[in-house]
Amino acid sequence: LSCLGQNLNTSLSIGEISFAIVIVVLGLVLFALLIGNMQSYLQATMVRLEEWRTKRTDMERWMQHRQIPQPLKQCVRRYQQYKWVATRGVDEEALLKDLPMDIRRDIKRHLCLDLVRRVPLFDEMDERMLEAICERLRPALYTRGTRLVRELDPVDSMLFIIRGHLDS
C-alpha cells in the first residue's frame, strides 16, 4: 500500500489495486465487528456488576436496619462475594425458567445426567427415573463453614457435592 522509504514500485494494475482496497476494507469491517462485540460484552458485564452492587447495597441497608450482628453480616458478605465469583451475576434458574419445558428438560438432562449416574444408589434406575431426578435438581452454592445438615434435623433433600469438601 505504501512504498515510502523503500525501493518498491506501486502497482498500476487495476486488479491489484482493487484487491488491496478490498483487503483493507474487509480488515476495517472485521476490526469494527470485533470492537462492537467487545463493547457489547463489556456493557453486559457492567450491567450485571451494577445490579450486583445494588443488591449488595440493599442487603447492607437491610442488615443495618434489622441490626444483624457483625459475624452474621460477614457470613452474608462472604456468601455474596462467593456467588458473584462463581456465577458472574448470571442467575441460571431465572434463565431456565423462561425457556419452554422441553428445552429446559434437555438442558437439565445434559447438565446433570452424568452426575446422577455416578451415584451408586441410582445406577440400577431406568432412564426415565434418572431424567425425572435431573429435572428436580437445583444448583446451590455454599461457603466455607456452612452447616448443611444438623444432627437430629429431618432430611428433606439430597445434596451432590460437585466442588469442595464436606466434613461430617
Side-chain angles (χ1 to χ4, degrees), residues 1 11-28:
L1 295 176
S11 174
L12 298 178
S13 168
I14 297 295
E16 289 181 11
I17 293 172
S18 301
F19 178 74
I21 290 172
V22 167
I23 293 298
V24 168
V25 169
L26 281 176
L28 288 173

Side-chain angles (χ1 to χ4, degrees), residues 83-106:
K83 186 174 180 180
W84 171 258
V85 169
T87 64
R88 286 290 178 215
V90 176
D91 185 9
E92 289 180 359
E93 289 294 313
L95 289 176
L96 290 176
K97 186 180 73 173
D98 293 338
L99 294 174
M101 179 60 84
D102 61 333
I103 296 174
R104 187 178 341 152
R105 185 179 299 133
D106 291 342

Side-chain angles (χ1 to χ4, degrees), residues 144-150 161 164-168:
R144 182 184 303 266
T146 301
R147 291 190 178 129
L148 303 178
V149 179
R150 293 194 173 128
I161 310 298
H165 298 78
L166 180 67
D167 293 330
S168 171

Side-chain angles (χ1 to χ4, degrees), residues 87-156:
T87 64
R88 286 290 178 215
V90 176
D91 185 9
E92 289 180 359
E93 289 294 313
L95 289 176
L96 290 176
K97 186 180 73 173
D98 293 338
L99 294 174
M101 179 60 84
D102 61 333
I103 296 174
R104 187 178 341 152
R105 185 179 299 133
D106 291 342
I107 290 174
K108 286 253 189 174
R109 183 178 189 278
H110 170 74
L111 293 174
C112 304
L113 193 59
D114 291 335
L115 173 69
V116 172
R117 281 188 176 142
R118 286 188 295 193
V119 177
L121 179 66
F122 300 142
D123 62 357
E124 296 297 321
M125 288 188 178
D126 66 333
E127 196 73 20
R128 293 186 65 130
M129 185 63 80
L130 293 176
E131 287 180 12
I133 292 171
C134 287
E135 285 181 43
R136 284 161 184 79
L137 288 179
R138 290 188 325 267
L141 294 172
Y142 296 102
T143 58
R144 182 184 303 266
T146 301
R147 291 190 178 129
L148 303 178
V149 179
R150 293 194 173 128
E151 190 174 356
L152 301 179
D153 280 354
V155 177
D156 60 352

